[in-house]
């Protein structure tokens, strides 16, 4: 029973620790709390959203850039075609 309790405690710590640590602001690196926001103008920053806040982005794309000169044009064309097709299903995109 002790091993099971220790395992459960470890799992709970692993699961909840990121949530609780994301709530506190970084005192050592306050500049990491902000990002440059192009919507606000060049060089303007905005506070990163917190995990507890409602999402403000419906879709986020991550584009790998290995051999980007050769691969990026084709990939972007395919991605835009797919997004246009799926936009009928997901109008918030």
């Amino acid at each position: 029973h002790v091993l099971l309790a220790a395992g459960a405690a470890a799992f709970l710590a692993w699961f909840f620790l990121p949530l609780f640590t994301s709530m506190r602001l970084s005192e050592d690196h306050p500049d990491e709390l902000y990002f440059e926001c192009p919507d606000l103008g060049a060089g303007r920053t905005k506070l990163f959203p917190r995990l507890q806040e409602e999402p403000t982005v419906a879709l986020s794309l991550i584009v790998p850039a290995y051999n980007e000169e050769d691969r990026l044009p084709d990939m972007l064309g395919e991605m835009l075609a797919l997004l246009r097709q799926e936009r009928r299903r997901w109008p918030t995109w």
Side-chain angles (χ1 to χ4, degrees), residues 9 22 28 34 42 72 89:
S22 72
D28 296 335
Y34 297 87
L72 212 48
R89 254 186 4 174

Side-chain angles (χ1 to χ4, degrees), residues 15-30:
F15 186 80
F16 286 107
L17 190 61
L19 180 65
F20 294 130
T21 56
S22 72
M23 290 182 195
R24 67 183 171 86
L25 299 176
S26 172
E27 295 173 7
D28 296 335
H29 305 283

Side-chain angles (χ1 to χ4, degrees), residues 10-85:
F11 172 77
L12 291 173
W14 170 82
F15 186 80
F16 286 107
L17 190 61
L19 180 65
F20 294 130
T21 56
S22 72
M23 290 182 195
R24 67 183 171 86
L25 299 176
S26 172
E27 295 173 7
D28 296 335
H29 305 283
D31 55 319
E32 292 181 359
L33 300 174
Y34 297 87
F35 67 97
E36 285 193 31
C37 182
D39 295 341
L40 300 177
R44 302 283 308 270
T45 60
K46 188 174 182 179
L47 185 65
F48 273 109
R50 302 191 30 193
L51 292 175
Q52 299 78 16
E53 295 176 12
E54 287 292 319
T56 57
V57 176
L59 176 69
S60 180
L61 299 173
I62 299 170
V63 178
Y66 176 75
N67 287 338
E68 63 272 5
E69 188 175 307
D70 298 329
R71 301 175 65 199
L72 212 48
D74 292 338
M75 189 280 311
L76 287 175
E78 291 175 18
M79 180 187 66
L80 288 173
L82 176 67
L83 289 174
R84 286 185 184 114
Q85 174 186 340

